[in-house]
Amino acid sequence: NAFRGRSVYTPMSSRRRPTGRYQLTMGPWYHLTAASHDFDPTMLAWFDHWLKAQNTGITHTRKPAHLYLLGANRFVNESRWPPPRLRPTTWFLGAGRTGSAPGSQNDGSLSRTRPAAKTGADQITWLPPDLNCSRELDQWSMGAFEDVAGPSNPDSGPCAQNDALTESGPASLTYTTTSFKRASVIGGPVDATVYASSTRPQTELVGTLEDVAPNGTSTPITTGALLGSLRSVDPGRSWRTVGGRYLLPYHPYTVGSGQPVPVGRVTRFDIEIRPTFAEIAAGHRLRLTITTSDLPTLVPPESDVPNLLGGIYSVQRNARSASYLEVLSSSASKLGLPAHR
């Protein structure tokens, strides 16, 4: 996009050939730990080309995006971001089923089928403190926790390995798919559209994607959050699927865009979950965990706390107000990736 004079915040066009003049290395590293990973071959080839005028071939590639694949723990080179073979996939929040998060007050499901029931909702309570142990804690501590636990491996930190604590308690709801029959990859921006009512004029909703192993270990993938008063979306700057659903809802986050949450009325909240690139192995499940706080990484403005206190949210999962998760995904085999065990 930069090479073509297009905005770098818009999707890459499939009609445009990518250029090696701009390249990206993306992975799950933090401020204090990125230097511990071996970027030398790519970096040296890049600087030798541009600073020493050596013909290293670095700019000849048609795959200038070097992406670390979570779950498979390896790099994948792609032509565009998001990877072009990934397709929009919708997962609807549904009623409970056995086998989700045992510590959660809700055992909800994620299904490709839109709910048919006229009623259906799950309650969640706003609580300022929570038992946060996830990638968020690593990220917003600049990698300090990961640096102590195992700086040589971006997936070695205890919070990056299992966030079962985050899934527990009255401030948490979980929604989980059935086991994947084949390895799948999700990548790019993620949207969680949640229809909910609140007993207070402000809400705080946090959405976390997780990879659930057969033994129940829940590995966090990526997280996003939304303060209800700033739910306004600019459609012109948002990414949408062909069907019109948001993949990346653009929130202006301005004073002018702010508006109270109507008490007792079902309201739409489009949560922007940060982009990712991850493999869900065969036999694993995908989970969306919804919480109402994310301390110490997120702290609501002091002026909003009175409007949050005592808040009880009813997350809708029915035919009229069908909350859903929108991701870009594909089977790993369609991306030409070898089976991972």
Side-chain angles (χ1 to χ4, degrees):
N1 281 354
F3 182 68
R4 301 289 179 180
R6 302 178 72 237
S7 170
V8 297
Y9 298 105
T10 59
M12 296 178 66
S13 171
S14 60
R15 297 187 297 271
R16 300 289 189 181
R17 178 178 172 177
T19 174
R21 289 178 63 89
Y22 296 85
Q23 298 194 27
L24 167 72
T25 298
M26 186 182 82
W29 311 293
Y30 313 108
H31 296 291
L32 300 181
T33 57
S36 66
H37 300 287
D38 185 12
F39 300 132
D40 286 351
T42 303
M43 292 176 63
L44 289 176
W46 178 267
F47 289 122
D48 283 348
H49 174 88
W50 291 107
L51 299 183
K52 296 182 179 181
Q54 294 181 4
N55 184 17
T56 64
I58 187 71
T59 61
H60 298 166
T61 180
R62 294 191 178 187
K63 294 185 175 182
H66 316 295
L67 313 174
Y68 186 87
L69 186 61
L70 283 171
N73 302 326
R74 62 175 181 265
F75 276 99
V76 176
N77 295 320
E78 286 289 344
S79 60
R80 294 174 178 83
W81 177 254
R85 286 158 293 180
L86 299 180
R87 294 291 181 264
T89 307
T90 306
W91 295 95
F92 291 98
L93 277 59
R97 80 158 69 89
T98 302
S100 283
S104 171
Q105 66 162 13
N106 178 70
D107 237 4
S109 65
L110 280 180
S111 170
R112 297 295 304 279
T113 304
R114 185 183 179 92
K118 293 183 179 180
T119 60
D122 302 306
Q123 284 196 341
I124 188 173
T125 304
W126 185 79
L127 294 177
D130 63 0
L131 300 174
N132 177 32
C133 184
S134 67
R135 288 190 184 277
E136 291 291 279
L137 191 58
D138 282 340
Q139 180 170 348
W140 295 103
S141 66
M142 298 187 296
F145 287 92
E146 180 196 314
D147 197 37
V148 173
S152 63
N153 184 348
D155 285 332
S156 65
C159 290
Q161 285 288 337
N162 192 352
D163 66 347
L165 285 175
T166 304
E167 298 172 345
S168 62
S172 174
L173 297 172
T174 63
Y175 300 90
T176 314
T177 67
T178 56
S179 298
F180 282 30
K181 294 182 179 179
R182 59 183 64 88
S184 296
V185 172
I186 59 173
V190 179
D191 164 80
T193 293
V194 176
Y195 292 91
S197 62
S198 173
T199 60
R200 301 292 296 152
Q202 182 61 287
T203 61
E204 183 179 6
L205 292 169
V206 182
T208 299
L209 281 190
E210 293 144 328
D211 176 350
V212 185
N215 65 3
T217 299
S218 182
T219 302
I221 300 173
T222 181
T223 299
L226 179 67
L227 204 59
S229 60
L230 297 176
R231 65 190 181 277
S232 177
V233 175
D234 182 346
R237 303 186 69 177
S238 300
W239 294 18
R240 290 177 179 265
T241 67
V242 174
R245 292 193 175 95
Y246 288 126
L247 267 174
L248 196 162
Y250 182 92
H251 300 283
Y253 293 130
T254 61
V255 173
S257 70
Q259 52 184 321
V261 175
V263 174
R265 186 188 308 169
V266 174
T267 305
R268 175 173 173 159
F269 303 95
D270 298 288
I271 305 172
E272 177 190 352
I273 298 179
R274 282 185 291 278
T276 188
F277 192 54
E279 179 178 291
I280 311 297
H284 287 223
R285 294 173 290 155
L286 180 66
R287 173 175 292 160
L288 172 66
T289 293
I290 299 175
T291 55
T292 60
S293 60
D294 193 12
L295 292 177
T297 60
L298 295 176
V299 180
E302 186 177 348
S303 59
D304 282 310
V305 173
N307 290 329
L308 286 165
L309 284 172
I312 298 175
Y313 315 150
S314 292
V315 175
Q316 306 295 302
R317 45 168 178 76
N318 52 69
R320 183 175 182 180
S321 301
S323 300
Y324 62 86
L325 173 72
E326 192 74 18
V327 299
L328 292 171
S329 67
S330 174
S331 66
S333 60
K334 288 185 178 180
L335 269 70
L337 300 178
H340 171 69
R341 300 183 185 276

